[in-house]
Amino acid sequence: DVVTTGTVTAAEFTRPSPAAAAVGGPSQWPRPTARQRRAKQSRLERDRLLGELTMTTAAMSVQDALWLTMDRPNNLMVVDGAMILRGTPTPEAMTDLMSRTAKRFPVLARRPVRHGTGWAWEDDPDFDVARHLNERTASEPMSLVDVQHTLAAMRSEPLPKDRALWQCTVMSPVTLDDGTLGSAVISRFHHSIADGVRLTQLILGMC
């Protein structure tokens, strides 16, 4: 991976005037001229373009690219799973969990893009964990069979390709085998992110 960062340009028009600084009085900021405003705008535009050009991009392996392009409406290359939990995680807890997970596994914050004749992973400029988290709250407790049916229905829904290829849905309340109430977290990760074994390890690591 080639890791790069954008540049933040500090505004030079927020410095107090020398006279005000000398007497210790209230700071005064001189009004920028038209030329200075144009120069500042040019620098901001340059920095914006530089940030786009230096966005982190990681090569995608041939095998992962194969999984990516093998998606078919009747055969999606998505690894689906469900975790049954005692209790229900709050939206804040899920956001914090997946934010930390994305930091450990940067591919969870990247989207697939064409790169020459192949594919690559590119930082999603609009990445927001909230775009990948959903809630399904029922007025009456759901059964484990309901969770299975929901998961089965989701398996025919493709993941959006304009963002990182994963989703998590929290279902609650769910009646557990012992009669207590808990919840279920349905996770969906595209096979191009990793193979089934590594995705299972990732999911278990979220517990």
Side-chain angles (χ1 to χ4, degrees), residues 5-63:
T5 58
T7 304
V8 178
T9 303
E12 62 183 351
F13 307 126
T14 56
R15 299 171 182 169
S17 64
V23 299
S27 299
Q28 301 293 326
W29 291 272
R31 186 181 300 275
T33 65
R35 182 177 180 181
Q36 289 173 320
R37 288 195 298 270
R38 288 194 299 271
K40 179 183 179 182
Q41 186 61 38
S42 296
R43 287 194 300 274
L44 292 176
E45 180 66 13
R46 178 203 63 194
D47 293 340
R48 183 186 69 80
L49 292 174
L50 180 62
E52 293 179 357
L53 291 173
T54 59
M55 183 178 296
T56 302
T57 301
M60 185 184 300
S61 70
V62 174
Q63 183 177 2

Side-chain angles (χ1 to χ4, degrees), residues 3-206:
V3 180
T4 56
T5 58
T7 304
V8 178
T9 303
E12 62 183 351
F13 307 126
T14 56
R15 299 171 182 169
S17 64
V23 299
S27 299
Q28 301 293 326
W29 291 272
R31 186 181 300 275
T33 65
R35 182 177 180 181
Q36 289 173 320
R37 288 195 298 270
R38 288 194 299 271
K40 179 183 179 182
Q41 186 61 38
S42 296
R43 287 194 300 274
L44 292 176
E45 180 66 13
R46 178 203 63 194
D47 293 340
R48 183 186 69 80
L49 292 174
L50 180 62
E52 293 179 357
L53 291 173
T54 59
M55 183 178 296
T56 302
T57 301
M60 185 184 300
S61 70
V62 174
Q63 183 177 2
D64 290 341
L66 179 63
W67 288 116
L68 180 69
T69 55
M70 282 177 61
D71 263 338
R72 298 294 183 270
N74 61 343
N75 188 24
L76 299 176
M77 299 295 106
V78 179
V79 179
D80 304 279
M83 292 185 291
I84 308 302
L85 308 177
R86 295 189 182 278
T88 303
T90 64
E92 293 77 15
M94 284 297 299
T95 299
D96 178 67
L97 170 65
M98 295 313 299
S99 295
R100 288 186 282 108
T101 303
K103 289 181 179 179
R104 290 177 57 198
F105 304 99
V107 70
L108 297 183
R110 293 173 179 170
R111 62 184 181 182
V113 294
R114 293 292 303 185
H115 186 69
T117 58
W119 290 83
W121 294 110
E122 177 185 82
D123 284 348
D124 181 357
D126 300 316
F127 179 71
D128 184 348
V129 170
R131 298 178 72 197
H132 301 266
L133 300 179
N134 304 292
E135 288 185 278
R136 294 195 180 190
T137 304
S139 56
E140 296 293 332
M142 295 174 281
S143 67
L144 295 178
V145 174
D146 292 327
V147 175
Q148 292 174 341
H149 288 169
T150 300
L151 178 56
M154 285 184 175
R155 295 192 65 186
S156 63
E157 300 174 5
L159 295 170
K161 295 289 181 64
D162 64 340
R163 64 193 68 176
L165 300 178
W166 64 273
Q167 287 180 350
C168 285
T169 301
V170 178
M171 297 179 60
S172 65
V174 175
T175 302
L176 307 183
D177 287 335
D178 60 3
T180 61
L181 295 180
S183 61
V185 177
I186 295 178
S187 58
R188 309 189 69 217
F189 295 91
H190 199 279
H191 210 319
S192 59
I193 291 178
D195 59 30
V197 174
R198 292 193 178 277
L199 284 176
T200 300
Q201 295 172 340
L202 184 152
I203 293 172
L204 292 176
M206 293 163 51

